[in-house]
Amino acid sequence: MYGVIKMLLHSFSEASILTDDLVEQLKRILCNAVEQRGHAYLVVSGGKTPIDLFKALAKAELPWDKITITLTDERCVPAHDLDRNERLVRHFLLQHHAAKAHFLSLYNESDSLEQTEHMIASLPTFDAVVLGMGEDGHIASLFPCADELSMGLDDNAAAVLRISPKTAPHQRISLSKKRLLDSRVIFLHLLGQKKLTVLHQAMAEHDSMVMPVSAFLNNVDANVQVLYAP
Ligand SMILES: O=C(O)[C@H](O)[C@@H](O)[C@H](O)[C@H](O)COP(=O)(O)O
């Protein structure tokens, strides 16, 4: 049985209007977190979707020295590799005012998974997570084709797991569903008509092993806001 879905869908006429709205929401959330708890925690995705958001957010006047940023997932490739999500975040987000933010890397060749797990598990409830979504319904690196998916979706999962998607390159480190849901708000950032079609499929799909994003959309306890622009 499923309860009442709390997810909210906000549709914007253009991507730039969506970006402005999301920047304003994140500014408010991060400022409030710093005022109330002294520090804020923001988790962002890789992929192409968040690039304009990163550029705009980097220019926001925020108490960045009291804000920690990490990723939903990372590809296990060397630091300079173009496929690395950290590279994207460093290049577009950790710039301008946001250069003062603290960044926690999910993958370093010299760190063990246990060290990363310990670091991510010991963070408090996130203030905001910004998820992207793949056309197969994956979020973070929780891919439907991966053998490790059931581990990543388990309600008792560790904070991070190593995962090898069969339909995408590189071994990954991903935050688990459990750790991603431990956030005051979760934004699902979608650009393009195809993503809207996938969203509707995922809302009708209650098996998160088929479409992992449905574990977030159909979750009665999570504060999930979907932001869509064509
Ligand atoms: O490392 C990544 O690629 C991600 O974090 C992933 O979950 C991404 O958000 C989606 O694949 C959407 O990617 P696009 O924004 O490129 O469509």
Side-chain angles (χ1 to χ4, degrees):
M1 285 297 289
Y2 295 90
V4 177
I5 295 176
K6 267 174 66 184
M7 180 211 90
L8 289 170
L9 172 59
H10 307 275
S11 259
F12 297 83
S13 54
E14 314 178 5
S16 62
I17 304 176
L18 184 161
T19 300
D20 292 347
D21 183 274
L22 186 48
V23 168
E24 287 309 311
Q25 291 202 59
L26 288 171
K27 278 166 68 175
R28 199 175 57 246
I29 290 165
L30 298 171
C31 273
N32 286 345
V34 171
E35 271 171 35
Q36 288 168 21
R37 292 177 292 281
H39 203 94
Y41 295 86
L42 170 66
V43 184
V44 294
S45 297
K48 290 185 289 297
T49 305
I51 292 178
D52 284 344
L53 170 71
F54 289 170
K55 289 182 188 167
L57 195 58
K59 293 181 185 148
E61 289 192 28
L62 285 170
W64 287 107
D65 57 331
K66 298 186 178 68
I67 297 174
T68 291
I69 299 172
T70 192
L71 280 158
T72 59
D73 61 316
E74 182 58 285
R75 294 107 192 255
C76 301
V77 292
H80 61 270
D81 195 296
L82 295 181
D83 282 349
R84 193 158 160 126
N85 286 339
E86 177 171 339
R87 196 173 173 278
L88 194 80
V89 170
R90 290 197 182 279
H91 192 73
F92 293 110
L93 178 54
L94 301 179
Q95 299 287 336
H96 306 286
H97 297 303
K100 288 195 193 132
H102 304 267
F103 179 74
L104 299 177
S105 182
L106 285 187
Y107 176 72
N108 288 306
E109 283 159 292
S110 56
D111 289 351
S112 66
L113 186 67
E114 289 67 33
Q115 285 171 296
T116 309
E117 158 66 20
H118 179 73
M119 173 184 77
I120 297 297
S122 57
L123 297 175
T125 294
F126 301 136
D127 294 295
V129 170
V130 184
L131 293 174
M133 179 184 75
E135 292 182 2
D136 56 359
H138 80 260
I139 41 91
S141 278
L142 301 174
F143 283 82
C145 59
D147 290 339
E148 304 87 346
L149 180 63
S150 57
M151 195 164 49
L153 295 176
D154 194 296
D155 288 337
N156 297 310
V160 300
L161 67 150
R162 218 183 277 274
I163 192 157
S164 302
K166 296 192 177 91
T167 53
H170 312 301
Q171 191 180 68
R172 319 285 180 104
I173 288 186
S174 182
L175 269 59
S176 61
K177 176 192 84 171
K178 182 177 181 231
R179 189 62 185 95
L180 289 166
L181 283 172
D182 185 8
S183 178
R184 293 184 168 81
V185 59
I186 298 165
F187 294 103
L188 182 60
H189 184 188
L190 305 180
L191 298 181
Q193 176 64 42
K194 176 72 183 145
K195 297 273 177 95
L196 189 61
T197 306
V198 176
L199 175 77
H200 288 307
Q201 288 164 356
M203 283 163 65
E205 175 60 74
H206 287 286
D207 185 353
S208 53
M209 288 295 287
V210 178
M211 293 196 109
V213 69
S214 72
F216 292 76
L217 299 175
N218 299 317
N219 188 308
V220 287
D221 299 318
N223 178 10
V224 178
Q225 311 228 3
V226 183
L227 273 59
Y228 165 76

